[in-house]
Amino acid sequence: MRALAPALEKRRQQQLYRARRTLETPQGVELSVDGERLLSFCSNDYLGLAAHPALAGALAEGAARFGTGSGAAHLITGHSYAHQALEEDLAAFTGQPRALLFSTGYMANLGVAAALLRRGDTLVEDRLNHASLIDAAQLSGARLLRYHHLDMDSLRRRLSGAGEGDLMVATDAVFSMDGDCAPLKAIDESCRRHSAWLLVDDAHGFGVLGSKGRGAFHEQLGAAGGHAILMATLGKALGTFGAFVAGSEELVETLIQEARTYVYTTAAPPAVAWATRTALRLVREGEARRARLRELIARFRDGARQLDLPLMDSQTPIQPLRVGSAAAAVKLGEALRAAGILVAVIRPPTVPRGAARLRVTLSALHAPEHVDRLLEVLGNCYPGVKDVAC
Ligand SMILES: *Cc1c(COP(=O)(O)O)cnc(C)c1O
């Protein structure tokens, strides 16, 4: 049995120790955190729906109508009218024949890979994919091959060299720690040429990008053929909880039979699904929120450019600032916090070594003045860590 304390101590020394914060307020841009008032730029609540009164109302109505717990797995008696209605809403919204709810996005990615791939098959992934897609390869038993970030030549080489067995390509649509977008059309073409499945994780695009917030998958691939699979989460822009997979009739029926993370787990509370139906309506009618978000993104990028901050190539609400070492990133995060601003410090292994960063995220709830305040503080603090970083 390995001793735990030395490993924890080592983490601390390497500035890699992770600790949680406790929020006393609902999710939002002005938070009370561990007794302190802070202006926050760290949620995935891009449209500001997580604490929207209409969703709280729908959740209460759902609880009154369907109770608290689902009481069983979907295949026993846990599948409620609320789940069924939400699945139908999601299929209609995404333009896909069917949609299937999962309890979390992590479980959805694991479930899809494990249902469609087995030992002898190959899962080809962008190097910067979310951890759940990497773990999905392990659960499925498929061989994992990774290609250079967004590099289509590298992807094609991987596909050509994959050998026997079925193939699947999996990619984040919007990369969670970088904010940049995958060229889904080009990836899709390669997949067709190799008869490979394509699993697109639209966790950060769904609700935010594309017409009516239908996401990057819909925007770039439309109602692509049966080999393309959409996964999106409901706990980010939609402001509730859970995830879904959308695709062909046969795909969804296969997942119901074979996705272990679907079959062997309790169905999520039906009231949450009920609230998500309202969230979906707010997303569909949310053009003003998305327009505001785009204005905030442009304002932040303009200001950061003027300050010579190291912006990354992102047009999404995820606007990371590369720092370098974990120690420098922690120092910058602390300086911001001392000035009343909360930004997530992202360190290895979530990002590669030497690529620690501040992950600034914007929400439609931010006012232009909030962005200006962040820029002002960054302008004061960033030069101080630059030497440490480089
Ligand atoms: C958040 C996230 C997930 C996991 O979704 P949960 O519903 O939080 O489990 C999967 N993929 C990406 C890219 C994510 O950002």
Side-chain angles (χ1 to χ4, degrees):
M1 193 171 48
R2 88 188 154 104
L4 302 181
L8 287 170
E9 185 48 36
K10 187 167 165 219
R11 246 179 204 278
R12 241 185 244 285
Q13 279 166 8
Q14 293 174 330
Q15 304 274 359
L16 296 178
Y17 202 86
R18 302 166 188 245
R20 301 167 304 167
R21 309 177 173 89
T22 305
L23 269 64
E24 288 107 20
T25 42
Q27 189 56 265
V29 299
E30 286 174 306
L31 301 177
S32 166
V33 180
D34 299 321
E36 206 181 339
R37 299 291 304 180
L38 295 169
L39 175 59
S40 166
F41 293 89
C42 16
S43 79
N44 300 315
D45 182 24
Y46 304 121
L47 298 180
L49 298 182
H52 194 290
L55 297 194
L59 186 67
E61 184 196 303
R65 188 162 163 188
F66 303 102
T68 315
S70 69
H74 279 280
L75 286 170
I76 310 301
T77 52
H79 189 64
S80 138
Y81 173 76
H83 298 123
Q84 181 63 31
L86 175 58
E87 287 180 350
E88 289 172 19
D89 289 354
L90 287 166
F93 184 62
T94 58
Q96 295 293 325
R98 290 278 299 274
L100 182 71
L101 288 173
F102 280 77
S103 292
T104 69
Y106 187 98
M107 291 166 74
N109 282 337
L110 259 57
V112 170
L116 300 183
L117 301 175
R118 52 214 56 190
R119 210 165 296 284
D121 296 338
T122 305
L123 183 50
V124 182
E125 302 203 16
D126 189 291
R127 269 194 181 285
L128 297 189
N129 272 355
H130 189 263
S132 57
L133 287 170
I134 307 294
D135 296 356
Q138 293 199 357
L139 185 66
S140 72
R143 181 163 64 128
L144 174 64
L145 295 179
R146 301 214 269 176
Y147 60 93
H148 294 301
H149 183 48
L150 305 182
D151 182 339
M152 293 301 98
D153 287 333
S154 172
L155 167 63
R156 282 188 280 269
R157 281 196 300 276
R158 288 307 196 196
L159 283 170
S160 301
E164 300 290 302
D166 281 358
L167 282 173
M168 177 185 283
V169 175
T171 183
D172 285 20
V174 175
F175 287 83
S176 53
M177 296 301 138
D178 296 72
D180 51 2
C181 297
L184 296 180
K185 272 211 162 81
I187 296 173
D188 184 50
E189 275 165 28
S190 289
C191 288
R192 286 173 191 270
R193 208 165 301 129
H194 289 269
S195 300
W197 296 103
L198 169 58
L199 172 58
V200 175
D201 180 335
D202 212 356
H204 299 276
F206 191 65
V208 174
L209 301 177
S211 111
K212 299 200 190 299
R214 287 190 174 91
F217 181 100
H218 186 275
E219 190 180 24
Q220 292 191 50
L221 301 180
H227 69 290
I229 303 165
L230 163 65
M231 196 294 294
T233 57
L234 304 169
K236 289 172 178 154
L238 270 82
T240 59
F241 184 73
F244 72 94
V245 173
S248 70
E249 179 75 27
E250 296 76 15
L251 169 76
V252 166
E253 285 302 319
T254 301
L255 294 177
I256 292 172
Q257 317 304 317
E258 298 191 33
R260 299 176 66 82
T261 57
Y262 183 79
V263 175
Y264 297 108
T265 194
T266 300
V272 173
W274 198 246
T276 305
R277 297 189 75 199
T278 298
L280 202 55
R281 180 171 59 75
L282 294 180
V283 164
R284 214 186 298 125
E285 298 166 356
E287 206 38 55
R289 286 190 179 85
R290 282 183 289 277
R292 181 175 187 116
L293 199 46
R294 284 192 294 270
E295 283 166 21
L296 293 164
I297 294 166
R299 190 180 189 95
F300 177 75
R301 290 186 66 83
D302 282 350
R305 239 178 255 119
Q306 283 169 29
L307 291 168
D308 233 0
L309 297 173
L311 279 175
M312 293 176 64
D313 182 24
S314 162
Q315 302 302 322
T316 66
I318 303 167
Q319 291 291 328
L321 291 172
R322 273 289 273 269
V323 177
S325 73
V330 168
K331 192 176 157 201
L332 183 53
E334 282 168 358
L336 288 172
R337 181 151 182 172
I341 290 181
L342 191 62
V343 177
V345 176
I346 309 292
R347 293 162 287 177
T350 307
V351 292
R353 276 174 75 89
R357 66 198 63 180
L358 293 190
R359 180 176 181 265
V360 172
T361 56
L362 297 165
S363 160
L365 290 179
H366 283 119
E369 297 72 38
H370 291 145
V371 171
D372 295 348
R373 173 71 186 143
L374 171 64
L375 287 165
E376 183 191 339
V377 173
L378 280 170
N380 291 335
C381 299
Y382 185 77
V385 299
K386 212 158 148 190
D387 309 324
V388 190
C390 307

